[in-house]
Amino acid sequence: MQIRSLRQLTLVSFAIALIPLIALLWQSQSDLANIASTTAQDNTFFVAIVGASRNIDSDAIDIERLIRQHLIVRDDRLKLLIKERLRTFTLDLDNLCESLQQGVACSKLQRRTHRLANFAEIEQQVQLDAQLSEFRDYVAELRRAVGTVISQRIVEQQQMMASQRQKQVWSTAILALLSLVLIIKGSQLIAQPFEQLKKLIASIAQQNGELPPISNKGPIELLSIERDLHWLADRLQQLEHLRTALLRHASHELKTPLASIKEGCSLLNEQVVGELNQSQREVLCLLNASTDRLNTLVEQLLDYNLLLQQAEPVMVATNLAALIEACLQENALALNHNERRVDIRLDIESIVVDPDLLRRILDNLLSNAIAHGASDKTIFLHIYSSANYYVMDVANFGKPIALEDRERLFEPFSRGNTQRNDQVVGAGLGLSIVADCARLMQGRVSIVDHAIADVCFRVELPNKEKSTA
């Protein structure tokens, strides 16, 4: 049967899980009906044989009394009464023996009863006493046989009840276990489409590129959601391509007019086209500052765009001292202008990383420390190994970063509240580039408290050598 909706799947699973419980209820009712029928039959049997046994005892007493009277009186009417009592006694005895199925006690009493039918021929008291004593003994033996039969039936009834109880326990355990299995299976059938949706959402979030195929079977509601998620993934991919293209073209196209503006400013500054007055020099200074700011923004856009296009890092052994030296030379002008000194501590000489990504991390963190750190203060750079990670701490003095702002600073186009030392308004991409570079190398970046500095950025990159050792 094809399940067409989530409601139908839930109802069918619930109905299937109820089947063992319904079977258990039906069996319980059947067992109770069987016990009730057996108990009713036994009660009827007990009432019948007890009543017959009492009648036989009463008839036996009457027969004995009448025969003794006949031995004294010798009356024909008494003789007829004795024969009627013997006939009634015989009928009751036959019925009781048929119910008891006790051959020995019944046959003895039946033979004794037939012999008592010749009571008229008994002349002596001694002979009569002997026959009546034997008759009483046989009646008592039959009474004991009745008690034995009743006891046996009670024992059989108790055994039957115990057997039914044991059967009910096992049936309950087996059917309850089967019902539990069916419930688990039904819950899996219900949860399976949601697992497919979770995988699809995870693939969209991770931007794996290839999404799981659309399912052919399942509830129509979830299939509709799955198709919508595929459409959403395609739309997000289109938007990502548009964003990448926009950044690429905008940053590239801005370079050409920016170069022309800088060249014009340089010509004016050198007074090639004529001498400038004081007002013109002030305007030129403003123009140069704006040009530098625009150049910084374009370079950050180019870095961010290049980072978006890099899919997989190339991990190689990288000499830290050489990489840091190249980075410091590039930032030497900014360091000298702000009278900064970099305190470098290298506990390890080389690490296995992507050198280009690590260089971007170091460039942006160093630029951030120069731009936002306190002037005339030392910048601390410490690289060491901890557990299965390489750790790089870049710390500086300045205004501490509030706890609620720390995570937000690593988002694209997000800027802090502190003012830059160079009076240039950044694009808010530097720290996001650091976070993306660390993520590409399966690492992470965070802001931590430092013992001797106000602000410390910590980059942790996995140590492939220790993790594979």
Side-chain angles (χ1 to χ4, degrees), residues 235 371 418 455:
R235 184 60 178 166
T418 57
V455 179

Side-chain angles (χ1 to χ4, degrees), residues 182-202:
L182 291 176
I183 290 173
I184 295 175
K185 184 64 177 177
S187 64
Q188 290 177 347
L189 291 176
I190 296 174
Q192 186 174 3
F194 291 98
E195 293 294 332
Q196 183 72 11
L197 292 180
K198 288 177 62 178
K199 292 179 181 179
L200 181 57
I201 293 173

Side-chain angles (χ1 to χ4, degrees), residues 431-451:
L431 293 180
S432 68
I433 291 175
V434 172
D436 289 337
C437 289
R439 177 181 53 80
L440 285 174
M441 291 187 288
Q442 301 178 0
R444 57 181 178 264
V445 60
S446 59
I447 302 176
V448 298
D449 297 326
H450 196 272

Side-chain angles (χ1 to χ4, degrees), residues 100 102 105-106 139-151:
L100 290 178
Q102 293 286 332
C106 288
V139 170
E141 184 177 353
L142 180 63
R143 191 183 305 112
R144 290 192 296 271
V146 170
T148 301
V149 169
I150 292 175
S151 299

Side-chain angles (χ1 to χ4, degrees), residues 236-300:
L236 290 175
Q237 190 172 11
Q238 293 174 6
L239 294 176
E240 183 68 21
H241 290 329
L242 287 175
R243 186 184 70 161
T244 304
L246 177 62
L247 288 173
R248 182 172 63 250
H249 291 296
S251 58
H252 181 269
E253 294 299 329
L254 286 174
K255 275 290 186 179
T256 300
L258 180 61
S260 299
I261 294 172
K262 291 182 68 175
E263 183 64 25
C265 291
S266 178
L267 293 175
L268 290 174
N269 191 37
E270 294 174 359
Q271 300 183 7
V272 174
V273 296
E275 187 176 355
L276 302 177
N277 57 34
Q278 184 63 29
S279 298
Q280 291 172 336
R281 288 193 184 94
E282 291 177 359
V283 173
L284 183 60
C285 289
L286 294 175
L287 186 60
N288 281 325
S290 298
T291 304
D292 292 337
R293 176 190 172 193
L294 182 58
N295 184 66
T296 301
L297 295 177
V298 171
E299 287 180 354
Q300 288 183 344

